[in-house]
Amino acid sequence: MSTIAIFGNYVLSRRDGAQEVLRDHWVLLEGRRIAAVTRDRPSATEVFDRPGRFVLPGLMNLHNHCFSEAVARTHTEDGNGRRNNQSIVYTVLLPLTKRGADLLSPQERLAIARLGILQLLKGGATTVMEPFRNTIPEMFDAAEEMGIRFFGAPYLFSTSDAKAGPDGVVHYAGDDGQADMDTWNALYQRWNRRGDGRIGLAMSPHATDTCGPDLLRACAARARELDIPITTHLAQSQAEVATIGSRHGGRTPAEYLDWLGLLAPDLMAVHCIASTDGDLKLMAARGATVLNCPRVFARSGVTAAFSRFAEHGVRTVVGTDGYNMDLLGELNAASMISKIASARADVANAPDLIESVTATAAAVIKRPDLGTIAPGATADLTVVDLTHPHLQPLFDPRRGLVTLGNRANIDQVIVDGRVLIDAGRYIHGDETAMVSAASAAIGKIWDLPEAQAAFNG
Ligand SMILES: [Zn+2]
């Protein structure tokens, strides 16, 4: 069995259920497991003895949209693409990725998917959960071939054709979701547990306003039959709150999900920025998780503070959503935005934020073998290079990581005992070729007349 030994000036371990930072330790990997954490140098087939490394459990990014992000990047900042300052979800992201997915060949879609996975890995994540249009099954191919731990979350919609008119008002249309459930089941049959078990699926009804009661109930029943997580966008905007209230007897989006039996420990509710304090108390009581993605909202002047959810007692994890998949950068944003929102320096501290993307994230998806460095755990690691001038000298590695670190400091990403990123580069493919193939495919989407109209109409 191949063995790998990695030296860390700091190793983030656990003792009595809490984080413990070890100084000058080795982590020994045997095959797909962590075999030991030792003071003395173990013998191994491959040894990484680099100075100034911080060895962390593999970081988990449980909400990202790397396909649509690659398509939309730099088109939607500074208010571009918004109508009446409404969300770009219905003006740009959903309509264009739908058209793009239909227009491109499987090879072109695969090229974009590879770029996305490359970006996620280089952002420091070993495990990701990616909700995406079910017309882009190539996300699974890219994830399997590139070696990341991947929970694919193909969308289900009752109204797959939701799009905003010239006034920014969303018009909902589409089928009842049965076709999406059939597709989801086919993808589950094909992909679940592929890649030596690294590939899994999550149930992913798109959002409360695009999924009706029957579809949401069916999603929950199927997910619970399979014992897999459920994730959906919840209270993303005030417009969504108004839509759900008018459709469903004044209920808030969280109350709507609770009415349907979805508000439970297996639910990862994404964003919740328009949730009331009462909604958050309800979510805490039900054991649901908030997936907090602060930076994508900061882009549009909206505060999504990690500390607000955590202070209501809701289990909260951090993901990057469809924008800039630098997980260290996102933790930094979570820290800063929480401090500004609460006018306090002590909220959303570094250990809490690191916990959210390691042990807490692992608990949410019921994978106690992930998110921890301990003998017997799965050999997923993120190794950060702390030798950069902005990180030396350093007295607290966790604070350094969250307040000063970013994706350019990622040294290694190891999944299932296999080194995928080394010295900051993906070592199983040509990064330059991957970027140019994806760029060519994305260019085709932006040649579409409706892509131009999204910004001028
Ligand atoms: Zn999202």
Side-chain angles (χ1 to χ4, degrees), residues 64-136:
N64 34 260
H65 309 286
C66 68
F67 190 99
S68 59
E69 194 272 356
V71 172
R73 72 170 55 128
T74 73
H75 288 281
T76 55
E77 290 81 358
D78 298 337
N80 211 26
R82 288 173 202 278
R83 298 194 192 136
N84 294 339
N85 204 28
Q86 297 288 313
S87 167
I88 58 165
V89 170
Y90 303 103
T91 54
V92 178
L93 297 179
L94 286 175
L96 278 190
T97 50
K98 181 175 168 63
R99 278 289 284 129
D102 297 342
L103 166 88
L104 300 177
S105 71
Q107 275 307 315
E108 289 166 330
R109 294 194 299 260
L110 181 59
I112 300 173
R114 284 182 181 132
L115 176 70
I117 301 293
L118 180 64
Q119 185 190 185
L120 287 162
L121 284 170
K122 295 190 79 171
T126 55
T127 295
V128 301
M129 184 175 290
E130 166 90 11
F132 56 93
R133 288 261 185 197
N134 62 16
T135 45
I136 317 169

Side-chain angles (χ1 to χ4, degrees), residues 284-318:
R286 298 287 188 262
T289 297
V290 169
L291 246 151
N292 173 227
C293 307
R295 197 148 59 171
V296 72
F297 287 100
R299 176 178 64 166
S300 54
V302 173
T303 301
F306 176 93
S307 57
R308 177 174 180 240
F309 306 116
E311 281 162 10
H312 278 87
V314 189
R315 188 162 64 170
T316 307
V317 302
V318 175

Side-chain angles (χ1 to χ4, degrees), residues 168-234:
V169 174
V170 183
H171 302 273
Y172 296 90
D175 55 52
D176 62 0
Q178 185 56 49
D180 283 343
M181 184 62 86
D182 294 344
T183 301
W184 191 95
N185 281 319
L187 290 168
Y188 181 83
Q189 288 302 327
R190 169 139 193 236
W191 286 102
N192 189 48
R193 301 204 56 73
R194 286 271 292 263
D196 293 326
R198 286 187 305 275
I199 307 290
L201 274 81
M203 184 58 71
S204 182
H206 171 259
T208 63
D209 58 335
T210 50
C211 296
D214 291 346
L215 178 61
L216 285 168
R217 282 197 195 96
C219 285
R222 183 69 177 133
R224 287 166 187 166
E225 183 185 333
L226 298 170
D227 194 23
I228 58 164
I230 307 169
T231 189
T232 194
H233 295 96
L234 176 66

Side-chain angles (χ1 to χ4, degrees), residues 309-365:
F309 306 116
E311 281 162 10
H312 278 87
V314 189
R315 188 162 64 170
T316 307
V317 302
V318 175
T320 56
D321 200 32
Y323 188 55
N324 200 355
M325 270 136 258
D326 171 1
L327 196 48
L328 296 182
E330 196 74 29
L331 295 183
N332 178 266
S335 168
M336 294 294 165
I337 291 163
S338 295
K339 291 175 198 321
I340 293 169
S342 57
R344 284 176 53 174
D346 60 343
V347 299
N349 64 41
D352 287 352
L353 290 169
I354 293 170
E355 189 84 353
S356 85
V357 294
T358 54
T360 306
V364 168
I365 60 167

Side-chain angles (χ1 to χ4, degrees), residues 409-421:
N409 311 135
I410 300 291
D411 183 47
Q412 290 186 306
V413 173
I414 298 172
V415 178
D416 252 357
R418 183 165 175 248
V419 180
L420 303 181
I421 302 288

